[in-house]
């Protein structure tokens, strides 16, 4: 297995993720379900400053999101990230996309993320009317439905608006990125040495908490693992498996956070309390029941529970961050499974706390 580190491309990922930091509020648990007690205070202080400087662009950023998903986050993954050297490369690549390419990506995004199949102009002359009817009957919020129709009607115009928005974001991004660039480079060298020595234990242990065993097995079979290291979204983690390689998006504080969290769990009852807090939420409890029965589509969950897709996305994010469900990166669409070990440990801990044999 070969490990590759793409620092220029890492900068692109941090840039695309950057506007989301405008939504940061320390009291907002849904921002990441992070335990601030064991985080680096420098990170949260930086996020607070970023949110303040981005406050004037916060509402505009909401234009490019659907049910908690960012259409342009996903668009980034459609490019060969290894070939993108910086944020200018990314914006030029987005700008160069044709109307057909943008429409095809939107259709794929809706199918994979929101389980919606929208007709295209090639397949139906009345595709906008048909799309309107499909969206009207969906569980999406009204504002999301209009955003999607706007893109379907004129994807190039909305694309140009996004590029112009990111151009305004760039100076703020540069200001903060220069503070973490050296740390990213140093962390890359350290992680590269660790992995080259054959020590993959901490990385695999962390992933076992959030992704399926099958996904980790696929990762082990990858000929190459490409690392994209994030210094601003430094507590983010994601992976995407391909036929012969895997992309890992890793915040530079994630592994240290996981190590600290493991120690914290060993001396605290907060972990099992977190499980029961999730179970105490009626909607979240019903989501878990449906996932246990095999349903994990945002659309299906929303329809069965009579709530919006945005609400389901919120609950899925919370359940994933709190490790009550695990994500399957191998499936074409988002897939989730109950984290049985986590549940059993919480119940066993409760019985022990109450001295029930």
């Amino acid at each position: 297995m070969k490990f590759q580190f793409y620092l220029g491309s890492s900068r692109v990922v941090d840039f695309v993720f950057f506007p989301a930091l405008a939504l940061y509020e320390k009291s907002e648990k849904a921002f990441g379900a992070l335990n601030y007690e064991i985080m680096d205070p420098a990170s949260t202080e930086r996020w607070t400053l970023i949110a303040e400087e981005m406050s004037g662009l916060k509402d505009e950023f909401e234009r490019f999101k659907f049910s908690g998903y960012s259409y342009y986050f996903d668009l980034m993954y459609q490019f060969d990230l290894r070939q993108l050297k910086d944020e200018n490369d990314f914006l030029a690549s987005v700008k160069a996309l044709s109307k057909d390419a943008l429409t095809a990506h939107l259709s794929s995004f809706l199918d994979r993320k929101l389980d919606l199949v929208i007709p295209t102009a090639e397949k139906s002359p009345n595709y906008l009317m048909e799309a309107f009817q499909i969206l009207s009957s969906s569980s999406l919020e009204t504002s999301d439905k209009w955003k999607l129709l706007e893109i379907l009607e004129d994807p190039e115009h909305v694309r140009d608006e996004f590029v112009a928005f990111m151009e305004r974001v760039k100076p703020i991004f540069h200001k903060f990125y220069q503070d973490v660039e050296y740390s990213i480079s140093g962390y890359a060298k350290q992680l590269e040495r660790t992995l080259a020595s054959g020590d993959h234990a901490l990385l695999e242990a962390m992933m076992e908490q959030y992704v399926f065993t099958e996904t980790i097995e696929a990762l082990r079979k990858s000929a190459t693992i490409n690392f994209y290291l994030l210094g601003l979204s430094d507590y983010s983690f994601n992976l995407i498996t391909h036929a012969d390689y895997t992309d890992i998006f890793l915040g530079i504080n994630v592994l240290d956070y996981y190590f600290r969290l493991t120690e914290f769990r060993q001396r605290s009852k907060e972990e099992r309390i977190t499980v029961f807090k999730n179970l105490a939420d009626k909607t979240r409890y019903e989501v878990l029941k449906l996932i246990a029965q095999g349903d994990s589509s945002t659309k299906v969950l929303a329809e069965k529970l009579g709530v919006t897709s945005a609400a389901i996305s919120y609950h899925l994010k919370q359940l994933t961050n709190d490790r009550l469900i695990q994500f399957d990166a191998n499936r074409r669409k988002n897939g989730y499974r109950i984290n049985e070990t986590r549940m059993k440990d919480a119940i066993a801990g409760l019985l022990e706390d109450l001295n029930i044999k």
Side-chain angles (χ1 to χ4, degrees):
M1 183 184 297
K2 184 168 66 172
F3 301 102
Q4 297 281 3
F5 291 81
Y6 293 91
L7 298 190
S9 304
S10 297
R11 180 187 179 101
V12 174
V13 180
D14 243 336
F15 175 62
V16 177
F17 283 7
F18 185 73
L21 293 174
L23 308 179
Y24 172 69
E25 295 177 26
K26 188 169 182 178
S27 60
E28 182 86 33
K29 186 174 173 60
F31 186 77
L34 294 167
N35 187 323
Y36 294 104
E37 185 177 336
I38 56 176
M39 288 179 65
D40 182 353
S43 294
T44 54
E45 289 170 8
R46 185 184 304 113
W47 292 349
T48 299
L49 292 173
I50 291 172
E52 289 173 357
E53 293 225 17
M54 288 286 292
S55 60
L57 297 170
K58 181 178 177 179
D59 290 342
E60 191 173 353
F61 173 61
E62 291 288 348
R63 284 202 61 212
F64 307 106
K65 290 174 57 186
F66 307 108
S67 297
Y69 295 102
S70 171
Y71 168 65
Y72 286 96
F73 283 2
D74 194 77
L75 181 61
M76 175 185 68
Y77 298 137
Q78 305 308 303
F79 300 116
D80 185 348
L81 279 174
R82 296 166 296 184
Q83 303 303 317
L84 299 178
K85 303 304 181 186
D86 58 26
E87 57 275 18
N88 295 318
D89 256 4
F90 167 71
L91 293 179
S93 298
V94 173
K95 188 77 174 174
L97 289 172
S98 66
K99 180 178 180 179
D100 288 345
L102 289 165
T103 303
H105 172 257
L106 178 62
S107 297
S108 173
F109 170 79
L110 292 172
D111 185 21
R112 288 179 291 105
K113 297 295 187 181
L114 299 176
D115 204 22
L116 288 172
V117 179
I118 301 294
T120 58
E122 300 80 39
K123 295 181 179 180
S124 172
N126 300 315
Y127 75 101
L128 279 176
M129 181 58 68
E130 291 176 21
F132 178 78
Q133 292 172 346
I134 292 171
L135 291 171
S136 295
S137 61
S138 75
S139 57
L140 290 173
E141 292 184 346
T142 302
S143 61
D144 287 343
K145 296 173 184 178
W146 287 113
K147 291 175 193 175
L148 290 170
L149 283 171
E150 186 181 10
I151 294 180
L152 283 167
E153 189 171 20
D154 194 348
E156 292 168 304
H157 174 70
V158 179
R159 182 270 318 275
D160 290 345
E161 288 188 334
F162 170 76
V163 171
F165 165 71
M166 292 301 285
E167 288 287 356
R168 292 192 290 277
V169 167
K170 259 200 314 190
I172 306 174
F173 170 75
H174 292 162
K175 174 182 176 179
F176 287 97
Y177 195 78
Q178 66 183 2
D179 293 336
V180 300
E181 199 163 10
Y182 181 78
S183 297
I184 295 170
S185 177
Y187 183 78
K189 293 175 183 176
Q190 175 190 339
L191 182 58
E192 189 171 17
R193 286 194 298 268
T194 300
L195 295 174
S197 70
D199 183 3
H200 310 160
L202 184 58
L203 181 63
E204 291 192 1
M206 184 272 295
M207 288 194 295
E208 284 171 359
Q209 299 296 318
Y210 298 99
V211 298
F212 290 176
T213 301
E214 293 91 329
T215 301
I216 297 173
E217 288 302 320
L219 178 67
R220 292 185 179 126
K221 294 175 183 177
S222 295
T224 304
I225 295 180
N226 302 319
F227 280 95
Y228 303 91
L229 303 176
L230 311 180
L232 294 176
S233 297
D234 48 334
Y235 286 86
S236 297
F237 167 71
N238 192 21
L239 63 84
I240 299 177
T241 57
H242 303 271
D244 57 349
Y245 68 94
T246 297
D247 290 329
I248 292 183
F249 304 87
L250 184 67
I252 62 174
N253 281 320
V254 167
L255 293 181
D256 179 67
Y257 176 80
Y258 174 73
F259 178 76
R260 291 173 182 267
L261 188 60
T262 302
E263 290 187 327
F264 180 80
R265 288 172 189 151
Q266 293 171 351
R267 59 180 173 82
S268 173
K269 296 176 184 176
E270 284 295 318
E271 274 297 289
R272 49 184 169 273
I273 290 173
T274 297
V275 171
F276 297 118
K277 281 183 177 179
N278 276 285
L279 295 177
D281 183 291
K282 182 181 178 182
T283 303
R284 214 165 289 167
Y285 183 83
E286 293 299 327
V287 167
L288 287 169
K289 282 175 59 180
L290 289 171
I291 290 175
Q293 294 166 17
D295 293 319
S296 62
S297 158
T298 301
K299 177 185 176 184
V300 172
L301 292 172
E303 289 175 349
K304 287 191 174 183
L305 296 180
V307 298
T308 65
S309 294
I312 293 298
S313 297
Y314 166 83
H315 289 299
L316 289 175
K317 179 178 179 181
Q318 191 71 54
L319 291 168
T320 302
N321 287 336
D322 285 337
R323 300 180 300 109
L324 275 72
I325 58 176
Q326 294 172 300
F327 178 67
D328 182 4
N330 286 322
R331 294 179 59 182
R332 188 180 68 86
K333 296 185 181 181
N334 289 348
Y336 297 93
R337 181 188 298 167
I338 300 294
N339 186 342
E340 294 183 7
T341 301
R342 176 96 160 97
M343 292 291 192
K344 290 176 181 177
D345 286 348
I347 293 169
L350 174 64
L351 295 176
E352 183 181 339
D353 287 345
L354 301 181
N355 198 27
I356 298 175
K357 305 298 182 184

